[in-house]
mmCIF file of all heavy atoms in Angstrom:
data_model
loop_
_atom_site.group_PDB
_atom_site.id
_atom_site.type_symbol
_atom_site.label_atom_id
_atom_site.label_comp_id
_atom_site.label_asym_id
_atom_site.label_seq_id
_atom_site.Cartn_x
_atom_site.Cartn_y
_atom_site.Cartn_z
ATOM 1 N N SER A 1 81.192 -21.888 45.536
ATOM 2 C CA SER A 1 81.644 -22.834 46.544
ATOM 3 C C SER A 1 80.795 -22.683 47.807
ATOM 4 O O SER A 1 80.625 -23.638 48.582
ATOM 5 C CB SER A 1 83.152 -22.461 46.909
ATOM 6 O OG SER A 1 83.350 -21.070 47.269
ATOM 7 N N ALA A 2 80.251 -21.437 48.032
ATOM 8 C CA ALA A 2 79.386 -21.272 49.211
ATOM 9 C C ALA A 2 78.182 -22.067 49.055
ATOM 10 O O ALA A 2 77.670 -22.830 49.927
ATOM 11 C CB ALA A 2 79.003 -19.807 49.381
ATOM 12 N N LEU A 3 77.526 -21.990 47.715
ATOM 13 C CA LEU A 3 76.172 -22.679 47.539
ATOM 14 C C LEU A 3 76.544 -24.233 47.544
ATOM 15 O O LEU A 3 75.601 -24.890 48.192
ATOM 16 C CB LEU A 3 75.784 -22.205 46.164
ATOM 17 C CG LEU A 3 74.420 -22.780 45.637
ATOM 18 C CD1 LEU A 3 73.301 -22.480 46.601
ATOM 19 C CD2 LEU A 3 74.060 -22.431 44.305
ATOM 20 N N VAL A 4 77.578 -24.750 46.890
ATOM 21 C CA VAL A 4 77.815 -26.095 46.957
ATOM 22 C C VAL A 4 78.035 -26.617 48.361
ATOM 23 O O VAL A 4 77.571 -27.777 48.699
ATOM 24 C CB VAL A 4 78.899 -26.473 46.021
ATOM 25 C CG1 VAL A 4 79.327 -28.083 46.182
ATOM 26 C CG2 VAL A 4 78.590 -26.206 44.570
ATOM 27 N N GLY A 5 78.681 -25.836 49.195
ATOM 28 C CA GLY A 5 79.017 -26.133 50.544
ATOM 29 C C GLY A 5 77.752 -26.302 51.450
ATOM 30 O O GLY A 5 77.360 -27.364 52.142
ATOM 31 N N VAL A 6 76.761 -25.309 51.188
ATOM 32 C CA VAL A 6 75.520 -25.455 51.935
ATOM 33 C C VAL A 6 74.545 -26.559 51.368
ATOM 34 O O VAL A 6 74.043 -27.361 52.088
ATOM 35 C CB VAL A 6 74.661 -24.094 51.687
ATOM 36 C CG1 VAL A 6 73.215 -24.234 52.283
ATOM 37 C CG2 VAL A 6 75.311 -22.918 52.423
ATOM 38 N N PHE A 7 74.628 -26.707 50.047
ATOM 39 C CA PHE A 7 73.890 -27.886 49.416
ATOM 40 C C PHE A 7 74.304 -29.196 49.988
ATOM 41 O O PHE A 7 73.627 -30.134 50.199
ATOM 42 C CB PHE A 7 73.998 -27.761 48.002
ATOM 43 C CG PHE A 7 73.019 -28.765 47.246
ATOM 44 C CD1 PHE A 7 71.657 -28.621 47.471
ATOM 45 C CD2 PHE A 7 73.542 -29.538 46.242
ATOM 46 C CE1 PHE A 7 70.803 -29.506 46.739
ATOM 47 C CE2 PHE A 7 72.642 -30.407 45.531
ATOM 48 C CZ PHE A 7 71.289 -30.333 45.724
ATOM 49 N N ASN A 8 75.725 -29.403 50.104
ATOM 50 C CA ASN A 8 76.370 -30.528 50.652
ATOM 51 C C ASN A 8 75.901 -30.763 52.056
ATOM 52 O O ASN A 8 75.501 -32.044 52.430
ATOM 53 C CB ASN A 8 77.817 -30.468 50.572
ATOM 54 C CG ASN A 8 78.550 -31.758 50.771
ATOM 55 O OD1 ASN A 8 77.961 -32.961 50.666
ATOM 56 N ND2 ASN A 8 79.836 -31.718 51.163
ATOM 57 N N LEU A 9 75.862 -29.860 52.896
ATOM 58 C CA LEU A 9 75.457 -29.926 54.331
ATOM 59 C C LEU A 9 73.918 -30.281 54.418
ATOM 60 O O LEU A 9 73.591 -31.020 55.246
ATOM 61 C CB LEU A 9 75.582 -28.675 55.023
ATOM 62 C CG LEU A 9 77.066 -28.190 55.373
ATOM 63 C CD1 LEU A 9 77.100 -26.924 56.036
ATOM 64 C CD2 LEU A 9 77.533 -29.243 56.327
ATOM 65 N N MET A 10 73.189 -29.906 53.481
ATOM 66 C CA MET A 10 71.787 -30.261 53.330
ATOM 67 C C MET A 10 71.571 -31.793 52.946
ATOM 68 O O MET A 10 70.526 -32.239 53.221
ATOM 69 C CB MET A 10 70.999 -29.480 52.264
ATOM 70 C CG MET A 10 70.780 -27.891 52.824
ATOM 71 S SD MET A 10 70.299 -26.907 51.240
ATOM 72 C CE MET A 10 68.901 -27.872 50.701
ATOM 73 N N GLY A 11 72.535 -32.334 52.473
ATOM 74 C CA GLY A 11 72.545 -33.710 52.016
ATOM 75 C C GLY A 11 72.253 -33.817 50.503
ATOM 76 O O GLY A 11 71.834 -34.824 49.928
ATOM 77 N N GLY A 12 72.248 -32.578 49.894
ATOM 78 C CA GLY A 12 71.826 -32.445 48.448
ATOM 79 C C GLY A 12 72.702 -33.164 47.511
ATOM 80 O O GLY A 12 72.288 -33.660 46.517
ATOM 81 N N ILE A 13 73.986 -33.219 47.689
ATOM 82 C CA ILE A 13 74.864 -33.915 46.911
ATOM 83 C C ILE A 13 74.673 -35.366 46.831
ATOM 84 O O ILE A 13 74.653 -36.051 45.780
ATOM 85 C CB ILE A 13 76.374 -33.669 47.177
ATOM 86 C CG1 ILE A 13 76.690 -32.096 46.853
ATOM 87 C CG2 ILE A 13 77.401 -34.486 46.537
ATOM 88 C CD1 ILE A 13 78.037 -31.669 47.148
ATOM 89 N N ASP A 14 74.415 -35.974 48.062
ATOM 90 C CA ASP A 14 73.996 -37.426 48.092
ATOM 91 C C ASP A 14 72.693 -37.670 47.327
ATOM 92 O O ASP A 14 72.546 -38.680 46.671
ATOM 93 C CB ASP A 14 73.926 -37.917 49.525
ATOM 94 C CG ASP A 14 75.271 -37.950 50.290
ATOM 95 O OD1 ASP A 14 76.312 -38.031 49.465
ATOM 96 O OD2 ASP A 14 75.299 -37.794 51.468
ATOM 97 N N PHE A 15 71.760 -36.702 47.551
ATOM 98 C CA PHE A 15 70.465 -36.814 46.857
ATOM 99 C C PHE A 15 70.582 -36.899 45.288
ATOM 100 O O PHE A 15 70.074 -37.734 44.661
ATOM 101 C CB PHE A 15 69.589 -35.810 47.341
ATOM 102 C CG PHE A 15 68.248 -35.727 46.648
ATOM 103 C CD1 PHE A 15 67.363 -36.635 46.860
ATOM 104 C CD2 PHE A 15 68.007 -34.659 45.689
ATOM 105 C CE1 PHE A 15 66.082 -36.574 46.170
ATOM 106 C CE2 PHE A 15 66.831 -34.517 45.073
ATOM 107 C CZ PHE A 15 65.835 -35.604 45.297
ATOM 108 N N VAL A 16 71.431 -35.816 44.820
ATOM 109 C CA VAL A 16 71.550 -35.772 43.297
ATOM 110 C C VAL A 16 72.350 -36.957 42.841
ATOM 111 O O VAL A 16 72.060 -37.479 41.782
ATOM 112 C CB VAL A 16 72.283 -34.411 42.975
ATOM 113 C CG1 VAL A 16 72.691 -34.447 41.510
ATOM 114 C CG2 VAL A 16 71.466 -33.254 43.314
ATOM 115 N N SER A 17 73.317 -37.435 43.614
ATOM 116 C CA SER A 17 74.137 -38.604 43.333
ATOM 117 C C SER A 17 73.179 -39.834 43.121
ATOM 118 O O SER A 17 73.437 -40.614 42.169
ATOM 119 C CB SER A 17 75.210 -38.850 44.377
ATOM 120 O OG SER A 17 75.817 -40.067 44.042
ATOM 121 N N SER A 18 72.308 -39.992 44.048
ATOM 122 C CA SER A 18 71.415 -41.158 43.982
ATOM 123 C C SER A 18 70.420 -41.032 42.824
ATOM 124 O O SER A 18 70.146 -42.074 42.184
ATOM 125 C CB SER A 18 70.524 -41.244 45.282
ATOM 126 O OG SER A 18 69.769 -40.179 45.472
ATOM 127 N N LEU A 19 69.956 -39.734 42.496
ATOM 128 C CA LEU A 19 69.168 -39.679 41.326
ATOM 129 C C LEU A 19 69.997 -39.948 40.017
ATOM 130 O O LEU A 19 69.291 -40.669 39.174
ATOM 131 C CB LEU A 19 68.712 -38.187 41.263
ATOM 132 C CG LEU A 19 67.617 -37.687 42.073
ATOM 133 C CD1 LEU A 19 67.379 -36.150 41.775
ATOM 134 C CD2 LEU A 19 66.323 -38.452 41.680
ATOM 135 N N LEU A 20 71.207 -39.507 39.890
ATOM 136 C CA LEU A 20 71.943 -39.739 38.613
ATOM 137 C C LEU A 20 72.269 -41.289 38.553
ATOM 138 O O LEU A 20 72.056 -41.800 37.445
ATOM 139 C CB LEU A 20 73.211 -39.000 38.655
ATOM 140 C CG LEU A 20 73.082 -37.484 38.310
ATOM 141 C CD1 LEU A 20 74.416 -36.682 38.577
ATOM 142 C CD2 LEU A 20 72.693 -37.413 36.871
ATOM 143 N N LYS A 21 72.568 -41.840 39.674
ATOM 144 C CA LYS A 21 72.929 -43.232 39.677
ATOM 145 C C LYS A 21 71.508 -44.150 39.330
ATOM 146 O O LYS A 21 71.775 -45.197 38.753
ATOM 147 C CB LYS A 21 73.493 -43.755 40.915
ATOM 148 C CG LYS A 21 74.880 -43.218 41.081
ATOM 149 C CD LYS A 21 75.601 -43.747 42.383
ATOM 150 C CE LYS A 21 76.907 -43.239 42.521
ATOM 151 N NZ LYS A 21 77.627 -43.640 43.872
ATOM 152 N N GLY A 22 70.459 -43.565 39.664
ATOM 153 C CA GLY A 22 69.269 -44.306 39.502
ATOM 154 C C GLY A 22 68.690 -44.110 38.114
ATOM 155 O O GLY A 22 67.735 -44.816 37.671
ATOM 156 N N VAL A 23 69.463 -43.427 37.172
ATOM 157 C CA VAL A 23 69.145 -43.282 35.820
ATOM 158 C C VAL A 23 69.204 -44.479 35.092
ATOM 159 O O VAL A 23 68.446 -45.040 34.269
ATOM 160 C CB VAL A 23 69.821 -42.148 35.026
ATOM 161 C CG1 VAL A 23 69.695 -42.175 33.532
ATOM 162 C CG2 VAL A 23 69.496 -40.667 35.662
ATOM 163 N N SER A 24 70.321 -45.264 35.485
ATOM 164 C CA SER A 24 70.703 -46.538 34.779
ATOM 165 C C SER A 24 71.683 -47.256 35.531
ATOM 166 O O SER A 24 72.474 -46.694 36.422
ATOM 167 C CB SER A 24 71.125 -46.268 33.282
ATOM 168 O OG SER A 24 71.621 -47.454 32.777
ATOM 169 N N ASP A 25 71.579 -48.498 35.407
ATOM 170 C CA ASP A 25 72.617 -49.492 36.082
ATOM 171 C C ASP A 25 73.976 -49.358 35.235
ATOM 172 O O ASP A 25 74.957 -49.898 35.732
ATOM 173 C CB ASP A 25 72.191 -50.810 36.282
ATOM 174 C CG ASP A 25 71.049 -50.896 37.253
ATOM 175 O OD1 ASP A 25 71.029 -50.090 38.168
ATOM 176 O OD2 ASP A 25 70.164 -51.753 37.120
ATOM 177 N N THR A 26 73.911 -48.858 34.135
ATOM 178 C CA THR A 26 75.047 -48.965 33.208
ATOM 179 C C THR A 26 75.861 -47.633 33.410
ATOM 180 O O THR A 26 75.209 -46.475 33.188
ATOM 181 C CB THR A 26 74.630 -48.959 31.676
ATOM 182 O OG1 THR A 26 73.847 -50.009 31.484
ATOM 183 C CG2 THR A 26 75.824 -49.085 30.796
ATOM 184 N N PRO A 27 77.117 -47.631 33.913
ATOM 185 C CA PRO A 27 77.851 -46.452 34.094
ATOM 186 C C PRO A 27 77.939 -45.372 32.984
ATOM 187 O O PRO A 27 77.862 -44.204 33.260
ATOM 188 C CB PRO A 27 79.147 -46.981 34.537
ATOM 189 C CG PRO A 27 78.927 -48.299 35.115
ATOM 190 C CD PRO A 27 77.725 -48.817 34.188
ATOM 191 N N ILE A 28 78.157 -45.975 31.837
ATOM 192 C CA ILE A 28 78.289 -45.068 30.703
ATOM 193 C C ILE A 28 76.965 -44.191 30.446
ATOM 194 O O ILE A 28 77.093 -43.100 29.991
ATOM 195 C CB ILE A 28 78.645 -45.819 29.336
ATOM 196 C CG1 ILE A 28 79.275 -44.870 28.323
ATOM 197 C CG2 ILE A 28 77.490 -46.575 28.845
ATOM 198 C CD1 ILE A 28 80.600 -44.280 28.708
ATOM 199 N N ILE A 29 75.781 -44.702 30.739
ATOM 200 C CA ILE A 29 74.586 -44.051 30.620
ATOM 201 C C ILE A 29 74.477 -42.848 31.520
ATOM 202 O O ILE A 29 74.091 -41.716 31.244
ATOM 203 C CB ILE A 29 73.367 -44.873 30.801
ATOM 204 C CG1 ILE A 29 73.292 -46.086 29.739
ATOM 205 C CG2 ILE A 29 72.037 -44.127 30.683
ATOM 206 C CD1 ILE A 29 73.193 -45.617 28.364
#
C-alpha cells in the first residue's frame, strides 16, 4: 500500500493505465 501510494502520487498509475489501454482499442484484449 505504501509503494502503490507513492507510485500513484508520481502519476504512475495513470501512466500504466494509458499503456494498458494503448495495447488495443478492444476492451477484452
